Amino acid sequence: MGAQLRVYKRRIRSVTATKKITKAMEMIAASRIVKAQRQVAASTPYATELTRAVTAVATGSNTKHPLTTEADAPSRAAVLLITSDRGLAGGYSSNAIKAAERLTERLRGEGKEVDTYIVGRKGVSYYGFRERKIEDSWTGFTDSPTYADAKRVAGPLIEAVSTETAEGGVDELHIVYTEFVSMMTQNPVDNRMLPLSLDQAAEETGTKGQILPLFDFEPSAEDVLDALLPRYVESRIYNALLQAAASEHAARRRAMKSATDNAGELIKSLSRLANAARQAEITQEISEIVGGASALADATAGSDK
């Protein structure tokens, strides 16, 4: 019985140590969410105004450009998937991967080849374990991305969009990431970045139904679009990285809180079992003492006779 009590005590100490770790991770994630939310709020107006500028240029010109013009028969698409570098975030990465899988199936069902680009070690590991081809990948910055990281990710994608399909380029560019809605809600979404849908852009910027001003372009509308293309892609990717980072921290905080609560419940359960084992041990000792005293009394009474 004493050995069983020692087992319970050892497990209680182990779970208590784990609870301290998960509680610390929960507090760290909660503190990082605030910073990530501020970054999202700061980057969104820039991305919105840049989209508004691209919409104005595209509406005021008839120039065919990969930023705004759809191919007659698109045959190849690029998908950028944003996951996390670290685990312990519940279903955050797996939900984004599932959304990317559904998007890939839909694009292939439309007869398009899909080139996959991945941000985050979780996505890279998932595709690598299944021996699926990855065009390019980036890791090491998912929990705190910078604009320089977004530029590094955008470079190969812009090059692929600017290249003819026959030479290995793509006709469409899609992005899959987790949108931060609130501390409790984060939704995996897939958006088509290129070519830009003017109706969708108008809805995003709040200009649908409004009359846009007329512009004169110098040196030409095509040159303006060439200049805006990398800025547009970089800003959209940067905003998506920030949204994903905020979602990752929120998911990790929620997962660690659940783990902390479960550890507390397990400690209570083990404490009850330990108390029961200790009570049984005490009861057994008392029974042995009473039994020994009774035997001694019987022996003494027999010798007196």
Side-chain angles (χ1 to χ4, degrees):
M1 194 64 67
Q4 188 67 30
L5 182 60
R6 287 193 296 272
V7 170
Y8 288 138
K9 288 183 176 180
R10 186 166 58 248
R11 289 189 64 188
I12 289 173
R13 288 194 298 268
S14 176
V15 175
T16 301
T18 302
K19 181 181 178 180
K20 291 179 180 179
I21 295 173
T22 56
K23 183 64 176 179
M25 294 182 67
E26 176 190 347
M27 296 175 66
I28 292 171
S31 65
R32 289 179 175 175
I33 292 174
V34 178
K35 180 181 178 181
Q37 283 182 289
R38 291 173 181 170
Q39 290 179 319
V40 171
S43 69
T44 300
Y46 176 76
T48 302
E49 289 302 320
L50 194 54
T51 304
R52 191 195 303 268
V54 173
T55 305
V57 176
T59 305
S61 69
N62 296 322
T63 303
K64 289 187 177 181
H65 193 274
L67 183 58
T68 57
T69 305
E70 295 191 25
D72 295 332
S75 59
R76 198 178 189 92
V79 174
L80 173 62
L81 168 62
I82 300 178
T83 61
S84 65
D85 285 323
R86 298 184 295 129
L88 302 177
Y92 165 76
S93 292
S94 61
N95 290 336
I97 291 173
K98 290 177 182 177
E101 295 278 79
R102 291 192 295 268
L103 174 61
T104 300
E105 291 180 4
R106 178 166 60 82
L107 293 174
R108 287 176 177 165
E110 296 173 358
K112 301 171 186 174
E113 296 182 31
V114 178
D115 295 342
T116 304
Y117 298 79
I118 299 178
V119 174
R121 292 190 179 94
K122 289 298 179 180
V124 173
S125 299
Y126 179 88
Y127 278 74
F129 180 76
R130 289 159 179 76
E131 298 182 350
R132 297 182 183 177
K133 183 181 178 182
I134 301 175
E135 296 297 324
D136 206 344
S137 62
W138 303 267
T139 59
F141 55 82
T142 59
D143 60 343
S144 183
T146 63
Y147 196 81
D149 297 322
K151 290 185 69 174
R152 189 152 52 93
V153 174
L157 296 171
I158 295 172
E159 183 179 354
V161 171
S162 302
T163 305
E164 294 292 335
T165 309
E167 300 175 3
V170 298
D171 299 310
E172 297 178 358
L173 174 57
H174 299 258
I175 184 170
V176 179
Y177 65 98
T178 305
E179 181 185 24
F180 181 84
V181 180
S182 66
M183 296 285 284
M184 298 302 297
T185 306
Q186 302 87 41
N187 299 324
V189 296
D190 63 89
N191 292 330
R192 191 182 76 174
M193 284 197 296
L194 295 176
L196 177 64
S197 172
L198 298 183
D199 291 337
Q200 180 181 352
E203 290 182 1
E204 292 178 359
T205 58
T207 58
K208 189 172 184 179
Q210 297 181 10
I211 300 176
L212 297 175
L214 297 176
F215 293 93
D216 291 329
F217 305 109
E218 289 292 342
S220 67
E222 185 175 2
D223 291 330
V224 173
L225 289 173
D226 286 338
L228 289 176
L229 173 60
R231 302 291 181 271
Y232 169 76
V233 175
E234 290 166 5
S235 66
R236 290 294 298 269
I237 291 177
Y238 181 52
N239 185 261
L241 288 172
L242 293 177
Q243 294 262 9
S247 299
E248 178 184 348
H249 294 316
R252 182 168 291 114
R253 186 201 67 83
R254 192 167 60 251
M256 291 301 99
K257 185 180 186 307
S258 177
T260 302
D261 294 342
N262 290 339
E265 292 298 323
L266 183 57
I267 290 173
K268 290 181 182 179
S269 176
L270 291 172
S271 296
R272 285 195 292 268
L273 292 174
N275 292 335
R278 182 165 55 249
Q279 186 64 42
E281 184 178 358
I282 293 171
T283 302
Q284 182 177 356
E285 290 177 355
I286 293 174
S287 298
E288 291 174 353
I289 292 172
V290 172
S294 177
L296 182 60
D298 291 343
T300 302
S303 62
D304 290 341
K305 293 178 180 180

